[in-house]
Amino acid sequence: MLVPVHGERDRVLVDRATRFAGAVLEQAPPAAGTVAAHLEATGPAEHVTPRSAPGAAWFVLTTPGDSPRDWLRAGEALERVLLEVVRHGWQAAPFSRPTEVPAARTLLQEGLTGDLHPQVLVRVGRADPVEPAPRRRAVDVVEDRTCFPAPPGAT
């Protein structure tokens, strides 16, 4: 299930969970080991969070359980969400930081998703088109050339 992040209260909650998770994942343990102590000791968020993405809609992809099967289902659901968003001409970006740190994940669950287990944040919005990244030809990088025979005249 996708749980929308709306209203200032929800955005602040996600911002706090994201900042806390970022500090933990960057090996900067929070003061006194608590979310509250860390947030008092740090300044404004430097991570991409709902506060710093004007015009974007944010959602938390959740599951009813938290088993490996639920994680697999969440990945399958995320794939469908991302494809559907693009099909409608929008862009989406998943953010997993706040769900990778147990304390931040608990903060999301207690303040936003209730009985549902947060698996990943998803930002949906518009973006300027970008040029595709250059790609090398398969024949230039694949060693087993039986799958991709060299074009005539190539060595």
Side-chain angles (χ1 to χ4, degrees):
M1 171 181 260
L2 284 174
V3 174
V5 176
H6 53 73
E8 186 64 14
R9 182 195 151 283
D10 289 354
R11 286 190 293 275
V12 167
L13 177 75
V14 171
D15 180 65
R16 287 181 175 187
T18 302
R19 287 192 298 145
F20 177 74
V24 170
L25 293 172
E26 292 166 9
Q27 302 302 322
T34 66
V35 175
H38 169 73
L39 294 174
E40 288 176 14
T42 60
E46 294 182 13
H47 304 287
V48 178
T49 64
R51 285 190 156 189
S52 61
W58 287 79
F59 303 90
V60 181
L61 180 67
T62 65
T63 55
D66 199 27
S67 68
R69 179 179 171 86
D70 292 302
W71 305 336
L72 176 63
R73 292 288 193 214
E76 293 170 340
L78 178 60
E79 176 186 35
R80 288 190 301 274
V81 166
L82 297 177
L83 289 170
E84 193 65 17
V85 165
V86 170
R87 188 173 78 83
H88 287 282
W90 292 77
Q91 288 78 36
F95 291 87
S96 62
R97 275 188 164 203
T99 58
E100 294 173 15
V101 175
R105 194 168 185 232
T106 298
L107 186 65
L108 288 176
Q109 187 172 17
E110 290 175 352
L112 187 62
T113 66
D115 292 336
L116 300 171
H117 297 268
Q119 300 297 337
V120 67
L121 278 170
V122 181
R123 180 180 63 188
V124 177
R126 297 280 188 197
D128 294 330
V130 296
E131 291 294 320
R135 302 281 188 237
R136 295 189 295 175
R137 300 175 318 152
V139 297
D140 294 335
V141 295
V142 176
E143 288 185 26
D144 179 4
R145 305 234 178 198
T146 59
C147 296
F148 300 99
T155 57

